[in-house]
Amino acid sequence: QVQVVESGGDLVQAGGSLRLSCAASGSIFSINVMGWYRQAPGKERELVASISSGGTTKYADSVKGRFTISRDRNKNTVSLQMNSLKPEDTAVYYCNADINTGWRLDSFWGQGTQVTVSS
């Protein structure tokens, strides 16, 4: 079994910072892409940032220059440093990992962590 668990969501004022963390555990042979998605009320889930096993990163245009994704391959963790937060960043943030369990490659999701940015 594989578990993906996020932490770090909170209520913060506009202009503030938060750091989200995500850890994958269980029957893991290797992890390909790890990423952060978010879903605001009434909106579809969207990609915020992703990082490949080789360290290649991608960012949504709305967060470029403000958010930074990083990962620790040895610990199977990924983090999202969020600076200069805006009210429109308010959403549930989900961690996603493409994990090879040795049997198959599957996409695993965390349960989500709430980020609320007040104006």
Side-chain angles (χ1 to χ4, degrees), residues 44-64:
E44 293 186 352
R45 190 172 297 189
E46 62 174 356
L47 175 67
V48 177
S50 66
I51 184 168
S52 72
S53 57
T56 300
T57 58
K58 292 182 181 179
Y59 294 94
D61 288 343
S62 59
V63 306
K64 283 181 181 176

Side-chain angles (χ1 to χ4, degrees), residues 16-57:
S17 298
L18 276 178
R19 186 176 181 86
L20 304 183
S21 298
C22 170
S25 61
S27 301
I28 298 172
F29 179 74
S30 64
I31 302 179
N32 294 343
V33 178
M34 300 187 81
W36 289 94
Y37 291 72
R38 67 186 181 188
Q39 188 166 19
K43 295 188 176 181
E44 293 186 352
R45 190 172 297 189
E46 62 174 356
L47 175 67
V48 177
S50 66
I51 184 168
S52 72
S53 57
T56 300
T57 58

Side-chain angles (χ1 to χ4, degrees), residues 65-111:
R66 300 188 297 123
F67 291 9
T68 303
I69 190 170
S70 60
R71 71 187 277 183
D72 185 327
R73 291 185 60 186
N74 292 327
K75 296 182 179 179
N76 294 331
T77 59
V78 64
S79 298
L80 185 69
Q81 177 65 42
M82 306 186 293
N83 299 328
S84 302
L85 282 161
K86 303 175 181 180
E88 50 263 43
D89 294 319
T90 295
V92 178
Y93 283 70
Y94 297 90
C95 178
N96 175 266
D98 292 335
I99 297 174
N100 183 348
T101 63
W103 294 97
R104 54 192 287 179
L105 180 63
D106 271 329
S107 183
F108 293 87
W109 292 89
Q111 80 287 351

